[in-house]
Amino acid sequence: MLLKLTTSTRYVLLVLLLVLGIHSILSFTHEDYGRATSLSQTAAKLSWGSNDALDSIPDEYFYHELEPTPYNVTRRANATMLMLARNSDLDGAMRSVRELEDRFNRRCRYPWVFLNDEEFSDYNVVSGPVLFGLVPREHWVQPDWIDEDRARESRDKMVENNIIYVMCRFNSGFFYRHPLLQQYKWSWQVEPDVHFHCDIEFDPFAYMEDNDKIYGFTITMYEYEATIPTLWETIKFTRLHPEYVSPNNAMGYLSDNNGNTYNLCPCKPALWSNFEIASMDLWRGEAYSKYFDFLDSKGGFNYERWGDAPVHSIAAALFARKDQIQFFDEIGYEHNPYTHCPRGPGKWARGRCACDAGRSFDYDGYSSMRQWDRVQ
């Protein structure tokens, strides 16, 4: 028997069916969301392991206002943000500056120093003072005393082996001598095309100053052997000048046999200095200046491809006490393809991070973080 339905009855039934359908969809979605959240939390716990207990920056150093303005900050260190950039780096440089301003410097308004080998345009995304400087030509180009035939042969060989040649002599030994940097005690080296994935809700300069730290990093990795085949031979400098070596140094990070060789050859570990917060006194000191002059006399910046990362790393590990070197777990940082994301759900949430902890490079096979951990 067919049931005749009035127009109003059919309308009521249609509404009921729609409500039931929406309820089913929402229930299904909620279950999926709950399941996905649970899986993601489990994966996060597996990635972070027990490192959530690692909270190297005390709570007193964090800003507690929801949105602190630069005028809420009553203390600033004698520090600067530093970038060496060429005109061809302009787009990537602007992105790096904008991210670090948004994530950190909008609060503190530390000045920026930009160095280039030629004139370039002003940046309009910086909240604090800006200084532009030219790199002296003699610090930028190959020295006259280098054997150009030997250097060219080395460069050609690197091209054959698909090794990008970049001369890092300026960043290794001359940047801290630039007149614009003489007024500062601290510098934060920033490179074009890097990313900052978390709000930095404390002042790294203030923390380092208060706690006798002189060198800070976020990523540590193995150097490419083909770029520095003879660099470790220059460790003989420390044998010629044992007075410069700290008794409580981090040689155990660099070597398994008290300096006879780098550990895990053919790879070479380095604190990756495209992120580097450091006391300028480390570079200006007699130990580092003589160490760089010794390296420079060997020609490895031209005959090989000695980078500022291993050069700085060796110096920091040997001339400073190991407790003066700071791993900034709290700072989410990326230099493609490597990313550091803070370890521990508390830190990740506290810093309002946009990185994926599961992709963090810290204990990747090419990371030398385990070597760093063992000297702590």
Side-chain angles (χ1 to χ4, degrees):
M1 181 176 66
L2 296 175
L3 179 64
K4 291 187 178 179
L5 300 175
T6 65
T7 300
S8 60
T9 303
R10 286 197 300 270
Y11 177 76
V12 170
L13 287 172
L14 179 60
V15 170
L16 286 171
L17 288 171
L18 286 171
V19 170
L20 288 170
I22 292 171
H23 176 74
S24 298
I25 291 170
L26 289 175
S27 299
F28 178 76
T29 304
H30 179 74
E31 288 172 4
D32 269 5
Y33 176 76
R35 189 178 301 115
T37 302
S38 175
L39 286 172
S40 110
Q41 289 173 342
T42 301
K45 287 178 182 176
L46 287 172
S47 305
W48 285 312
S50 61
N51 288 314
D52 192 26
L54 179 64
D55 193 11
S56 53
I57 308 299
D59 186 70
E60 64 194 81
Y61 285 94
F62 284 81
Y63 304 113
H64 295 287
E65 301 91 345
L66 181 62
E67 285 293 335
T69 69
Y71 305 104
N72 296 128
V73 178
T74 57
R75 172 189 177 183
R76 292 182 184 85
N78 180 14
T80 185
M81 323 301 286
L82 171 64
M83 179 177 284
L84 175 65
R86 300 162 297 181
N87 289 346
S88 58
D89 298 325
L90 186 59
D91 289 342
M94 291 284 282
R95 284 191 291 271
S96 295
V97 171
R98 185 178 292 111
E99 285 193 27
L100 192 49
E101 285 288 313
D102 290 345
R103 291 294 197 176
F104 168 69
N105 206 38
R106 64 188 171 85
R107 296 182 180 91
C108 294
R109 292 193 172 183
Y110 279 108
W112 282 83
V113 173
F114 295 95
L115 300 180
N116 194 351
D117 65 329
E118 59 185 22
E119 298 288 349
F120 59 154
S121 302
D122 289 357
Y123 289 87
N124 60 4
V125 293
V126 174
S127 56
V130 183
L131 296 173
F132 295 91
L134 290 174
V135 175
R137 187 176 184 278
E138 63 271 20
H139 292 174
W140 189 264
V141 301
Q142 179 173 288
D144 292 340
W145 52 265
I146 290 292
D147 182 340
E148 172 53 23
D149 290 337
R150 179 182 170 188
R152 183 173 53 252
E153 181 181 345
S154 175
R155 291 193 297 269
D156 291 345
K157 185 175 180 179
M158 289 189 197
V159 170
E160 284 179 25
N161 294 327
N162 296 315
I163 299 172
I164 299 173
Y165 177 81
V166 179
M167 189 169 70
C168 300
R169 184 171 176 258
F170 175 80
N171 261 1
S172 295
F174 293 104
F175 78 94
Y176 61 91
R177 308 182 197 195
H178 196 281
L180 290 182
L181 293 172
Q182 298 312 301
Q183 61 186 301
Y184 299 111
K185 183 178 178 182
W186 300 90
S187 69
W188 183 335
Q189 181 171 319
V190 185
E191 286 203 353
D193 282 317
V194 299
H195 300 284
F196 295 88
H197 291 302
C198 305
D199 284 358
I200 303 168
E201 298 185 323
F202 67 98
D203 186 338
F205 296 120
Y207 173 76
M208 293 179 72
E209 195 165 59
D210 287 351
N211 292 275
D212 195 23
K213 307 287 185 179
I214 62 174
Y215 191 93
F217 71 100
T218 58
I219 291 179
T220 177
M221 63 182 298
Y222 291 102
E223 185 59 276
Y224 187 27
E225 162 69 6
T227 65
I228 53 170
T230 68
L231 177 60
W232 190 248
E233 294 176 14
T234 61
I235 199 66
K236 66 179 67 171
F237 172 82
T238 61
R239 298 191 182 102
L240 295 172
H241 297 282
E243 68 274 17
Y244 296 140
V245 179
S246 170
N248 193 23
N249 61 63
M251 175 65 85
Y253 163 70
L254 301 172
S255 174
D256 293 327
N257 49 25
N258 200 32
N260 290 328
T261 61
Y262 260 130
N263 55 8
L264 300 180
C265 288
C267 295
K268 310 285 196 262
L271 307 170
W272 212 23
S273 64
N274 62 52
F275 175 102
E276 180 178 85
I277 303 176
S279 167
M280 299 297 284
D281 290 342
L282 172 63
W283 314 128
R284 293 174 184 145
E286 182 178 296
Y288 186 82
S289 293
K290 287 193 174 181
Y291 161 75
F292 170 75
D293 291 342
F294 180 83
L295 296 184
D296 198 31
S297 71
K298 304 301 179 183
F301 296 105
N302 302 90
Y303 300 139
E304 297 177 15
R305 209 218 76 174
W306 293 357
D308 50 299
V311 170
H312 286 187
S313 299
I314 292 170
L318 298 183
F319 302 151
R321 302 190 315 269
K322 60 186 178 183
D323 63 293
Q324 291 181 298
I325 302 174
Q326 177 68 31
F327 167 54
F328 280 113
D329 186 30
E330 296 79 3
I331 299 178
Y333 175 76
E334 176 182 348
H335 186 290
N336 186 50
Y338 307 110
T339 299
H340 166 70
C341 197
R343 292 179 281 175
K347 287 187 180 181
W348 190 91
R350 182 178 199 170
R352 293 192 285 185
C353 296
C355 52
D356 178 0
R359 292 183 58 245
S360 194
F361 179 71
D362 293 351
Y363 293 99
D364 184 272
Y366 203 58
S367 168
S368 52
M369 194 67 197
R370 290 178 182 84
Q371 280 71 33
W372 178 250
D373 286 346
R374 75 183 182 181
V375 301
Q376 300 309 295

